[in-house]
Structures are given as structure tokens and as C-alpha cells.
Amino acid sequence: MTQPSLRLAFFKLNVPEIVPALAFWRDAFGFEVTQTFDEADFLEKILALPGQPNGPNLMLVAYKDGRDVTVGHGHGAIGLQCSDIAASHERALKAGARADGGIMTVAGGIKVAVLHSPQGHEIELVQLPS
């Protein structure tokens, strides 16, 4: 049996309100909206980083019934690899992120910083050594 072709396509984050969540991801990291689904039950924005229109995409979903979308502990961070972790970290903080410690260097000279979006989603910035 042949293994079917797979590609990581998206990460989906439930948010209480689209407008502030969208503003954060745009301002902090430069994500752009590529598609919108305004359905009876939810509003969804599909986001991509500039130059990466085929993803993987970040999708923000706000349910129209006001259901609780409090972030729990059953998942890890959204990981973003960056070329200048200090600049990316500062930009995210200015956009409303909360730092969970500072920038640290781990094995192999890899720099890592953990943040939380204003909606509570964990974000891990990673800079590989040059």
C-alpha cells in the first residue's frame, strides 16, 4: 500500500474576538489575511506569512455563540523561526504579547523565547545559529 501524500496545512486557534486577535498576529509577526469564512456559526480568518502563501497557515476562529474558548494546557506553542529573535521578541511585546522569561540560549547555540498572545496562546520564537 502506498502512503498518501501529506503536507502540514494549518494551525487553528479559537479566539473570543477576531478583531483584536487579528491585529495582534498582523502587528507582532506580519501575518496577512488570505481568506475569510463568515459562516452562520463562526467567523474564520486564514492567515499566511508574507512570501509563504501556501502555508502552513494560521487560522483564527471566533464562534458567534460566545462559547468559552479559554486556552487550556493540552497543547504546546505555536513555533516561529526567526532570523533576529531580539527584534521579533520586541515587536511581539509592543503588539501586546506577554513574555514568559527572556531570550535564552540552549544546546547548539539555538536562541529561544516564549511569549503568550493577548488571547493566551503560547508562542515560541526560535533563532538557529548562523
Side-chain angles (χ1 to χ4, degrees):
M1 181 195 249
T2 304
Q3 178 71 18
S5 174
L6 295 173
R7 181 182 75 79
L8 183 59
F10 62 85
F11 298 92
K12 192 175 281 196
L13 300 178
N14 294 328
V15 297
E17 297 178 48
I18 283 287
V19 173
L22 181 57
F24 171 74
W25 289 97
R26 280 181 170 162
D27 295 347
F29 304 111
F31 279 91
E32 299 171 347
V33 175
T34 61
Q35 198 169 5
T36 298
F37 292 97
D38 191 352
E39 302 295 329
D41 295 333
F42 62 88
L43 176 60
E44 182 172 84
K45 298 284 185 179
I46 300 175
L47 310 178
L49 288 167
Q52 299 178 34
N54 296 322
N57 297 100
L58 177 62
M59 301 168 80
L60 302 177
V61 180
Y63 290 96
K64 294 180 178 179
D65 63 5
R67 71 183 67 176
D68 181 22
V69 293
T70 303
V71 178
H73 301 286
H75 60 84
I78 299 294
L80 297 172
Q81 185 175 330
C82 50
S83 60
D84 183 343
I85 196 167
S88 296
H89 190 263
E90 184 63 27
R91 183 176 172 179
L93 291 174
K94 285 182 180 177
R98 178 178 49 83
D100 191 1
I103 299 169
M104 63 184 144
T105 302
V106 296
I110 298 169
K111 293 181 181 179
V112 177
V114 177
L115 304 158
H116 286 86
S117 74
Q119 295 75 34
H121 297 101
E122 188 176 49
I123 302 160
E124 187 171 333
L125 301 178
V126 176
Q127 179 181 330
L128 301 177
S130 46

